[in-house]
Amino acid sequence: MASSRYLRRAAPPFVPLTLVAGAKAGAKHRQLYNQIRGHVLSGRLAGGVRLPATRSLARDLGCSRNTVLSAYDLLLAEGYLAGSRGSGTYVSRLLPDPFMALAAGVEAAGPKSHGGGSATLSARGRALAKIGFRPRGPVGAFMLGPDVSQVPFDVWGRILGAAWRRPVPALPHSGDPAGYRPLREAIAEYLRATRALSCDWRQVMITSGAQQALDLVARALLDPGDAVWCEDPGYAGLRGPLIAAGARLVQIPVDDQGLSVAEGRDRAPKARLAVVAPSHQFPLGVVMSLGRRLELLNWARSAGAWILEDDYDSEYRYAGRPLAALQGLEADSGDGAGRVIYAGTFSKVMFPSLRLGYLVVPKDLIEPLTQVRAALDDHPSAVVQPVLAAFIAEGHFSAHVRRMRRHYAARQEALLEAARRWLDGKLLLSPDEAGLHLVARLTPALGRRMSDTQAAARAAGAGVAVSALSGYAVEAQCDPGLLLGYAAVQEDAIEDSVIRLAKALDG
Amino acid sequence: MASSRYLRRAAPPFVPLTLVAGAKAGAKHRQLYNQIRGHVLSGRLAGGVRLPATRSLARDLGCSRNTVLSAYDLLLAEGYLAGSRGSGTYVSRLLPDPFMALAAGVEAAGPKSHGGGSATLSARGRALAKIGFRPRGPVGAFMLGPDVSQVPFDVWGRILGAAWRRPVPALPHSGDPAGYRPLREAIAEYLRATRALSCDWRQVMITSGAQQALDLVARALLDPGDAVWCEDPGYAGLRGPLIAAGARLVQIPVDDQGLSVAEGRDRAPKARLAVVAPSHQFPLGVVMSLGRRLELLNWARSAGAWILEDDYDSEYRYAGRPLAALQGLEADSGDGAGRVIYAGTFSKVMFPSLRLGYLVVPKDLIEPLTQVRAALDDHPSAVVQPVLAAFIAEGHFSAHVRRMRRHYAARQEALLEAARRWLDGKLLLSPDEAGLHLVARLTPALGRRMSDTQAAARAAGAGVAVSALSGYAVEAQCDPGLLLGYAAVQEDAIEDSVIRLAKALDG
């Protein structure tokens, strides 16, 4: 039953108040509260206007006096109404009038007064938004990334649960901005053994991945306007932090020995930072030669610049010895004033949504970078760190890497074999000693019929996810090619996907 | 048995090579590898110099030929040596000469050529490092922060383990940059019910806490040089992201109604952002009045500015109704073009090292902020999000909040009681309807004897951790006071700590 009454008081303005019975409408006192509040905010009930006595209003609305009392009490507590039951209740005079005018619909002047759309972002915000985040595509051939189906989650989940059912007493409390010591120790040991890095645990800082690592390094070591060497073609994900830091990105071409230091010296000799992936360039797969590594270190020393070594998939090497990291080479070959900052990640070995990585920083940067980290993002979450530390210490991590390395090597071989059989005349695939993807070059014949972007679109139409190599280039002119990730595809599904790809590329 | 031989070849330079037997020295081929490598890098073995035949060197060193073969193979693979066993092995000519000069000790010119110390940070880096991260002090009275000992970790750990032993198939894959949908839905529902926020799940973005939230907002919405209103005194943790974004921090005083909008209009009328904690100002505890809230919204609308509402401990309200968030007030009272960005955290309710928080953003900012987030830090870790979603959905979260609210209310009462009994004449404590700490004002008598900083130092000397109110002020002149966190202190330990504090403050 609806009862609708207008306030019968003579003092204007009259305001409509309606109470509706029934569970759906909610408690009556709350309905009354909401309506009076709305009238106050809209200006219909102006400051100083006196409200009816609770008994009168209750009679008018056909509800209990308690309903009105409850509504008035709430409004008094929050400041919409003032006064007291004894001396009368009125709309608070402390509410600003100009607000009422606005609320009644008067538009405010000013260029940025309307929300809406990306026009509201700052110039920096627009540049960042433009980088073009693409939602993850469907899972399947030939998406980039690891095979997460083989991660021993039974073990992982068991350790995770055990670590938190009865956590070590210090664990829930705020931690070290550089991260949980046992994990830092486990990482330092692992890197010394497998990558010939020169480091102790204090040089290890835990991050959420390469982007956060670069974000931290860029803001701590660069000022707006400082130049940075970026591999071209390269990994677009690293551009955001550099742009956000106000850096001047200088694209440096990559040849068969890696980033061209000669070009870098030519285009930006006074750059403050070079971001490179010397173990396995992305996307081309080039391994930076020893000579080029020494040239790069040479330049960094003479320029007083830093090098961020992005080592994103170094666990997966199928032939040959793993090359020592650039960081380790530096330590062995010079005066020891470290210029190389090493960034690694667990995303490719564990799973992408883990979001855990690490930096290995030169000793003189430990303290400053820790301070900057703390100023920007406190400390890394403690939930996963002890679990990963145990996972590594108990040998599950190494076992998983070894197991996946065998799978991935076999999948690469299967892809090469299927390519030889089905993609002849269209795509040329070469083996890669490392990584989780191959670069397939368009043959001249195919290249005359379509660009690599068009080839990728055709493949997508056939349900095969490949990325165009040209999409990774900013200024560089690459021979057209496609990236085929093979790690996440079951071996026996590879040939079928290659056949579908071949058909999609037919004339 | 050590065998030490010089290369007997006539061609200079002669280089020392020593092989040492015994497990501690490591495999001989590795010793030889390391030494030859070192000589190449130091320049003692120059490019082009021919190395002895393996048989000769083995004879000279008194080791097996295989030892030398293994060492040479490694050096060849890595590029230190070139040639082949048939045609002779020599030091690679591709290694850059200037590097050799450096490695031999020639100093490089240039102002930034030496690593070391915070002189290597950029100007921005130095400003950030100066913010002054302080390592967490000892746990105990009267540190700020929640009581983590009561978190139901048995339940938390159980859900965590269960979620990851057999994860939902999509979970290990890269996720939405805005976060895991079920958690976003749970948060939206919780906020609508408890804080009168106006939002649906799409407006919720998962963060690692208030700093990352502000970091994202500042970089997306501000350009370097833009002014930002900051409460003074205020929470220092929020300065880092603003400084890093190049913002101009404008300190705005706080009175008994909250941040002074009049002062803000006076000092920086065209500011682009105001960072406020209207529900419970930190550190003063002031609740922003309704009139002041509407003034602030009024200014933001007319200036086209944003408001970041930092709602860091709103679950803990002991008296009175929880005030509707500023964000909700805005939605109910105007044209709907949201200027308020709401930031919340689970740190105070769950535990500080969880590092999980959220933003509620105006609808027109969802897409742009998601893009910017993806450009800077991909997506939030998936490990904890589903667990927290379940924890909330199963009612454990609300139950924990209710339980802790009772404990904290009792602890505040115990602190007030003990203060009345023991701190008379020294500190004046007033009740606070909300939060996890009280502000204790120095009496004039005590204030004549010491500053609040000195009082805090004395307390620390007696093993009582309090912070000086003046430490939170940048320009504002606060009456001297101390912050006493009571949440993390057991009720029966409060009086003893107060007695120790009183003694420490004796003349």
Coordinates of all heavy atoms in Angstrom, one line a residue, chain A residues 117-134 239-241 243-244, chain B residues 216 219-221 364-376:
Chain A
G117 N 36.0 9.9 -21.2 CA 36.9 9.6 -22.3 C 38.3 9.9 -22.0 O 38.7 10.4 -21.0
S118 N 39.2 9.5 -22.9 CA 40.6 9.6 -22.6 C 41.1 11.1 -22.7 O 42.2 11.4 -22.5 CB 41.4 8.8 -23.6 OG 41.1 9.2 -24.9
A119 N 40.2 12.0 -23.0 CA 40.5 13.4 -23.0 C 40.9 13.8 -21.5 O 41.5 14.8 -21.3 CB 39.4 14.3 -23.5
T120 N 40.4 13.0 -20.6 CA 40.7 13.4 -19.2 C 42.1 12.9 -18.7 O 42.5 13.4 -17.7 CB 39.6 12.7 -18.3 OG1 39.6 11.3 -18.6 CG2 38.3 13.3 -18.5
L121 N 42.7 12.0 -19.5 CA 44.0 11.6 -19.0 C 45.0 12.8 -19.3 O 44.8 13.6 -20.2 CB 44.5 10.4 -19.9 CG 43.8 9.1 -19.7 CD1 44.5 8.0 -20.4 CD2 43.6 8.8 -18.2
S122 N 46.1 12.8 -18.5 CA 47.2 13.8 -18.8 C 47.9 13.3 -20.1 O 47.6 12.3 -20.6 CB 48.2 13.7 -17.6 OG 48.7 12.4 -17.5
A123 N 48.8 14.2 -20.6 CA 49.5 13.9 -21.8 C 50.3 12.6 -21.6 O 50.3 11.7 -22.4 CB 50.5 15.0 -22.2
R124 N 50.9 12.4 -20.4 CA 51.6 11.2 -20.1 C 50.7 10.0 -20.1 O 51.0 8.9 -20.6 CB 52.3 11.3 -18.7 CG 52.8 10.0 -18.2 CD 53.6 10.2 -16.9 NE 53.0 11.1 -16.0 CZ 53.7 11.7 -15.0 NH1 55.0 11.5 -14.8 NH2 53.0 12.5 -14.1
G125 N 49.5 10.2 -19.5 CA 48.5 9.1 -19.4 C 48.1 8.7 -20.8 O 48.0 7.5 -21.1
R126 N 47.9 9.7 -21.7 CA 47.5 9.3 -23.0 C 48.6 8.5 -23.7 O 48.3 7.5 -24.5 CB 47.2 10.6 -23.9 CG 45.8 11.2 -23.4 CD 45.3 12.2 -24.5 NE 46.2 13.3 -24.6 CZ 46.2 14.4 -23.8 NH1 45.4 14.4 -22.8 NH2 47.0 15.4 -24.0
A127 N 49.9 8.9 -23.5 CA 51.0 8.2 -24.2 C 51.0 6.8 -23.6 O 51.3 5.8 -24.4 CB 52.3 8.9 -23.9
L128 N 50.7 6.6 -22.4 CA 50.8 5.2 -21.8 C 49.6 4.4 -22.3 O 49.8 3.2 -22.6 CB 50.8 5.3 -20.3 CG 52.0 5.9 -19.7 CD1 51.9 6.1 -18.2 CD2 53.2 4.9 -19.9
A129 N 48.4 5.0 -22.4 CA 47.3 4.2 -22.8 C 47.4 3.8 -24.2 O 46.9 2.8 -24.6 CB 46.0 5.1 -22.6
K130 N 48.2 4.6 -25.0 CA 48.3 4.4 -26.4 C 49.2 3.2 -26.7 O 49.2 2.6 -27.8 CB 48.9 5.6 -27.1 CG 48.4 5.8 -28.5 CD 48.7 7.2 -29.0 CE 50.2 7.4 -28.9 NZ 50.6 8.6 -29.7
I131 N 50.0 2.8 -25.7 CA 50.9 1.6 -26.0 C 50.1 0.4 -26.4 O 50.6 -0.4 -27.1 CB 51.7 1.3 -24.7 CG1 52.7 2.4 -24.5 CG2 52.4 0.0 -24.8 CD1 53.5 2.3 -23.2
G132 N 48.8 0.4 -26.1 CA 48.0 -0.6 -26.7 C 48.0 -2.0 -26.1 O 48.6 -2.9 -26.6
F133 N 47.5 -2.0 -24.9 CA 47.3 -3.3 -24.3 C 46.3 -4.1 -25.1 O 45.2 -3.7 -25.4 CB 46.8 -3.1 -22.9 CG 46.1 -4.3 -22.3 CD1 46.9 -5.4 -22.0 CD2 44.8 -4.4 -22.1 CE1 46.3 -6.6 -21.4 CE2 44.2 -5.5 -21.6 CZ 44.9 -6.6 -21.3
R134 N 46.8 -5.3 -25.4 CA 45.8 -6.2 -26.1 C 45.4 -7.3 -25.1 O 46.3 -8.0 -24.5 CB 46.5 -6.9 -27.3 CG 46.6 -6.0 -28.5 CD 47.4 -6.6 -29.6 NE 48.8 -6.9 -29.2 CZ 49.8 -6.0 -29.4 NH1 49.6 -4.9 -30.1 NH2 51.0 -6.3 -28.9
R239 N 58.3 -0.5 -22.8 CA 58.3 0.9 -23.2 C 57.5 1.7 -22.2 O 57.8 2.9 -21.9 CB 57.6 1.1 -24.6 CG 58.5 0.6 -25.7 CD 57.9 0.7 -27.1 NE 58.5 -0.3 -27.9 CZ 57.9 -1.0 -28.8 NH1 56.6 -0.8 -29.1 NH2 58.5 -1.9 -29.6
G240 N 56.4 1.1 -21.6 CA 55.6 1.9 -20.7 C 56.3 2.5 -19.5 O 56.3 3.7 -19.3
P241 N 57.1 1.7 -18.8 CA 57.9 2.3 -17.7 C 58.8 3.4 -18.1 O 59.0 4.4 -17.4 CB 58.7 1.2 -17.1 CG 57.8 0.0 -17.4 CD 57.2 0.3 -18.7
I243 N 58.5 5.4 -20.8 CA 57.7 6.6 -21.2 C 57.2 7.3 -19.9 O 57.2 8.5 -19.8 CB 56.5 6.2 -22.1 CG1 57.0 5.8 -23.4 CG2 55.4 7.3 -22.1 CD1 55.9 5.1 -24.3
A244 N 56.7 6.5 -18.9 CA 56.2 7.1 -17.7 C 57.3 7.8 -17.0 O 57.0 8.8 -16.3 CB 55.7 6.0 -16.8
Chain B
L216 N 49.5 4.9 -9.9 CA 48.8 4.7 -11.2 C 48.0 6.0 -11.5 O 48.1 6.5 -12.6 CB 47.8 3.5 -11.0 CG 46.9 3.2 -12.2 CD1 47.6 2.9 -13.5 CD2 45.9 2.1 -11.8
R219 N 50.2 9.1 -12.5 CA 50.9 9.0 -13.8 C 49.9 9.1 -14.9 O 50.2 9.5 -16.0 CB 51.8 7.8 -13.9 CG 52.9 8.0 -12.9 CD 54.0 7.0 -13.2 NE 53.8 5.7 -12.7 CZ 54.6 4.6 -12.9 NH1 55.7 4.8 -13.6 NH2 54.3 3.5 -12.3
A220 N 48.7 8.6 -14.7 CA 47.7 8.6 -15.7 C 47.0 10.0 -15.9 O 46.6 10.4 -17.0 CB 46.6 7.5 -15.5
L221 N 46.8 10.7 -14.7 CA 46.0 11.9 -14.8 C 46.8 13.2 -14.6 O 46.2 14.2 -14.9 CB 44.9 11.8 -13.6 CG 44.0 10.6 -13.7 CD1 43.0 10.6 -12.5 CD2 43.2 10.6 -15.0
D364 N 34.1 6.5 -16.6 CA 34.9 6.9 -17.8 C 36.4 6.7 -17.6 O 37.1 6.9 -18.6 CB 34.5 8.3 -18.2 CG 34.8 9.3 -17.0 OD1 35.3 8.9 -16.0 OD2 34.6 10.5 -17.2
L365 N 36.8 6.4 -16.5 CA 38.2 6.1 -16.3 C 38.6 4.6 -16.3 O 39.8 4.3 -16.2 CB 38.7 6.7 -14.9 CG 39.0 8.2 -14.9 CD1 39.6 8.6 -13.5 CD2 39.8 8.7 -16.0
I366 N 37.6 3.8 -16.3 CA 37.9 2.3 -16.3 C 38.9 1.9 -17.4 O 39.9 1.4 -17.2 CB 36.6 1.5 -16.4 CG1 35.7 1.7 -15.2 CG2 37.0 0.0 -16.5 CD1 34.3 1.1 -15.4
E367 N 38.5 2.2 -18.6 CA 39.3 1.8 -19.8 C 40.6 2.4 -19.8 O 41.7 1.7 -19.8 CB 38.5 2.1 -21.0 CG 39.1 1.7 -22.3 CD 39.4 0.2 -22.4 OE1 38.7 -0.5 -21.7 OE2 40.2 -0.2 -23.3
P368 N 40.7 3.8 -19.6 CA 42.1 4.4 -19.7 C 43.0 3.9 -18.5 O 44.1 3.6 -18.8 CB 41.7 5.9 -19.5 CG 40.3 6.1 -19.9 CD 39.6 4.8 -19.6
L369 N 42.4 3.8 -17.3 CA 43.3 3.4 -16.2 C 43.7 1.9 -16.4 O 44.9 1.6 -16.0 CB 42.6 3.6 -14.9 CG 42.6 5.0 -14.3 CD1 42.0 5.1 -12.9 CD2 44.0 5.6 -14.3
T370 N 42.9 1.1 -17.0 CA 43.3 -0.3 -17.2 C 44.4 -0.3 -18.2 O 45.3 -1.1 -18.1 CB 42.1 -1.1 -17.7 OG1 41.0 -1.0 -16.7 CG2 42.4 -2.5 -18.0
Q371 N 44.3 0.5 -19.3 CA 45.4 0.5 -20.3 C 46.7 1.0 -19.6 O 47.8 0.4 -19.9 CB 45.0 1.5 -21.4 CG 43.8 1.2 -22.2 CD 44.1 0.3 -23.4 OE1 45.3 -0.1 -23.6 NE2 43.1 -0.1 -24.1
V372 N 46.6 2.0 -18.8 CA 47.8 2.5 -18.2 C 48.4 1.5 -17.2 O 49.6 1.2 -17.2 CB 47.6 3.9 -17.4 CG1 48.8 4.3 -16.7 CG2 47.2 4.9 -18.4
R373 N 47.6 0.8 -16.5 CA 48.0 -0.2 -15.6 C 48.8 -1.3 -16.4 O 49.9 -1.7 -16.0 CB 46.8 -0.9 -14.9 CG 47.1 -2.3 -14.3 CD 47.8 -2.3 -13.1 NE 48.5 -3.5 -12.8 CZ 48.6 -4.1 -11.6 NH1 47.9 -3.6 -10.6 NH2 49.3 -5.2 -11.4
A374 N 48.2 -1.7 -17.5 CA 48.8 -2.8 -18.3 C 50.1 -2.3 -18.9 O 51.1 -3.1 -19.0 CB 47.9 -3.2 -19.4
A375 N 50.2 -1.1 -19.2 CA 51.5 -0.5 -19.7 C 52.6 -0.5 -18.7 O 53.8 -0.6 -19.0 CB 51.3 0.8 -20.3
L376 N 52.2 -0.4 -17.4 CA 53.2 -0.2 -16.3 C 53.5 -1.5 -15.5 O 54.6 -1.7 -15.1 CB 52.8 0.9 -15.4 CG 52.7 2.3 -16.0 CD1 52.1 3.3 -15.1 CD2 54.1 2.7 -16.5

